[in-house]
Amino acid sequence: MARLNWGMIGGGEGSQIGPAHRISAGLDGKFNFAASALDIDAAKGKAFAQTLGIEGDRAYGDWREMLAGEKDRADRVDLVTIATPNSTHFEIAKAFTEEGFHVLCEKPMTMTVAEAEELVKLAEAKGTILAVNYGYSGYSLVRHMRAMVARGDLGKVRLIKAEFAHGFHADEADADNPRVRWRYDPDLAGVSAQFADCGIHALHMASYVSGQEAETLSADFASGIPSRTLEDDAMLNIKMSGGARCRLWTSSIAIGRMHGLNIQVFGERGGLRWAQEQPNQLFWTPLNGRTEIIERGAGNLSPEADRASRVTIGHAEGMPLAFANIYLDLAEAISAHKHGRTADSAATQYPKAIDGLRSMAAIVAAVDSAKQQGVWVDARPPMLR
């Protein structure tokens, strides 16, 4: 397969997420980093792009300049990654999708449910790929969990426990740090802070592994630092589409917790548990049996897990490799789209616009529930009810 051209918006020098995307996109040699608009400071973004090997005429000052410069090129970018602040996602994703570009957007995909529904419909009408970077779904053993549930190893799923809790925003003295403050500013972050930032990763993981979607939910939000307008801790109870219950906790004030993305799935015939900080092991306990540790890279797992396992057994698998599996999926899907063939079925598991829409609906529902002291509300987007 010939290399595809890739472009990036946001993720400039000093960005937290930018390097992970650049490492991941380049890992398999499927993408050529061809164009970018990396920084709100145009000169800074252009200069940094050229240190990364971008040609001067494709080191753009902003996303509008990039769109104008790329849309009519014979060698235009095949995939655009959007890694800008939340409030800009919709406008940029809409503009590039309208011009027929394939897009990978950081989460949350939009700031409102209406915007998310518009993007889902637009991508469908244009026949383009619009993916959302729930990158943790790229881990090999997460895909194995999904395969085990799908083939019935657990029987009917009864209960899911999902967490994404860390303590890096727990210092009240750090509340005015601009790298922290924007996350709790409704004008930049939207209607939710911690749940929209981290909790939806846990919710997406619960849905991705179980094959069930959130239908109704009850939420409790808290601001451990009183000056914050938006929540820094949330607890949700969720009724899933297949009958399971999901218990979800997310926090940014849980001192001592590091990354904190964990998931447990309990069914009629067994239970699974996995933690992102120890991604090489999946714990499987069959009903009335002993716990088995499933090692990543052991081979002969599910085809989905084997395809997503990149390094030999016993070596650490990290977040950029999980992200790289999303890019590998997208490379296959885009190549199939360009050449009019069917994509490898194992490459269709990347998170899609519909996942971004469901997450946005859950965010709005959780905010609504929390304001009403935990009343149960519909978590589905209107177009899917």
Side-chain angles (χ1 to χ4, degrees):
M1 183 174 73
R3 279 196 177 202
L4 301 168
N5 284 329
W6 173 60
M8 187 174 194
I9 302 169
E13 190 171 16
S15 163
Q16 181 179 9
I17 202 67
H21 277 286
R22 288 188 286 274
I23 292 167
S24 303
L27 195 62
D28 293 292
K30 303 293 186 183
F31 289 100
N32 172 48
F33 190 16
S36 69
L38 295 176
D39 202 289
I40 195 169
D41 182 325
K44 183 179 177 182
K46 289 181 177 182
F48 184 54
Q50 290 180 69
T51 69
L52 298 174
I54 303 293
E55 296 294 332
D57 66 332
R58 301 182 84 175
Y60 299 104
D62 60 39
W63 69 264
R64 292 180 177 85
E65 183 183 334
M66 179 171 162
L67 179 60
E70 290 294 314
K71 66 180 183 178
D72 295 323
R73 291 183 67 114
D75 63 344
R76 76 182 203 166
V77 291
D78 297 288
L79 175 67
V80 177
T81 292
I82 301 170
T84 55
N86 300 356
S87 58
T88 66
H89 290 178
F90 171 69
E91 183 181 22
I92 300 171
K94 181 181 178 182
F96 277 86
T97 300
E98 284 178 332
E99 292 295 338
F101 289 90
H102 302 298
V103 173
L104 172 61
C105 186
E106 267 298 335
K107 53 79 205 168
M109 185 172 72
T110 62
M111 297 274 275
T112 71
V113 176
E115 289 174 346
E117 290 191 336
E118 183 176 345
L119 287 184
V120 168
K121 293 173 183 176
L122 178 62
E124 183 176 346
K126 292 290 184 179
T128 60
I129 293 167
L130 175 54
V132 184
N133 191 42
Y134 294 112
Y136 305 111
S137 63
Y139 276 104
S140 173
L141 289 180
V142 168
R143 295 190 170 189
H144 189 59
M145 292 176 76
R146 176 184 169 109
M148 289 181 70
V149 171
R151 71 193 184 196
D153 292 9
L154 281 73
K156 183 178 175 62
V157 173
R158 294 167 169 164
L159 178 65
I160 307 159
K161 185 172 183 290
E163 296 182 355
F164 197 153
H166 65 83
F168 294 108
H169 300 164
D171 188 349
E172 191 163 5
D174 204 33
D176 286 329
N177 181 336
R179 291 177 65 89
V180 175
R181 187 178 61 238
W182 78 267
R183 298 176 183 275
Y184 302 92
D185 181 345
D187 291 335
L188 297 176
V191 296
S192 167
Q194 180 60 18
F195 182 58
D197 186 29
C198 294
I200 55 171
H201 275 299
L203 179 57
H204 177 263
M205 186 75 76
S207 293
Y208 186 82
V209 169
S210 71
Q212 301 186 33
E213 304 295 343
E215 287 201 333
T216 59
L217 60 79
S218 169
D220 177 60
F221 282 10
S223 294
I225 294 180
S227 62
R228 288 177 174 158
T229 304
L230 300 176
E231 86 288 349
D232 50 27
D233 187 276
M235 179 72 79
L236 283 78
N237 287 311
I238 306 163
K239 296 178 182 178
M240 306 294 282
S241 58
R245 293 291 195 272
C246 177
R247 317 299 189 192
L248 188 153
W249 172 52
T250 184
S251 183
S252 63
I253 56 170
I255 297 172
R257 295 291 294 265
M258 294 294 109
H259 186 272
L261 177 59
N262 306 313
I263 184 166
Q264 299 178 71
V265 183
F266 305 101
E268 296 170 317
R269 296 201 292 269
L272 292 165
R273 57 185 171 93
W274 179 85
Q276 195 271 162
E277 290 174 76
Q278 291 83 37
N280 274 11
Q281 286 83 39
L282 171 63
F283 294 84
W284 159 241
T285 309
L287 180 67
N288 299 321
R290 295 176 177 173
T291 298
E292 171 189 352
I293 301 176
I294 299 172
E295 292 282 352
R296 185 212 52 79
N300 299 315
L301 298 179
S302 59
E304 296 88 346
D306 289 343
R307 180 181 183 274
S309 187
R310 295 171 167 276
V311 294
T312 54
I313 189 169
H315 293 83
E317 179 186 47
M319 179 264 280
L321 279 76
F323 279 27
N325 282 328
I326 304 296
Y327 278 100
L328 185 64
D329 290 344
L330 289 170
E332 166 61 13
I334 292 169
S335 179
H337 184 276
K338 289 180 72 171
H339 299 291
R341 62 175 176 80
T342 301
D344 179 350
S345 61
T348 62
Q349 298 194 13
Y350 60 89
K352 302 170 180 65
I354 197 72
D355 299 303
L357 168 60
R358 289 184 184 278
S359 293
M360 194 65 238
I363 291 167
V364 172
V367 171
D368 183 29
S369 174
K371 286 179 178 178
Q372 298 184 69
Q373 303 301 309
V375 66
W376 284 89
V377 298
D378 198 323
R380 300 169 298 173
M383 67 180 283
L384 297 178
R385 291 179 185 176

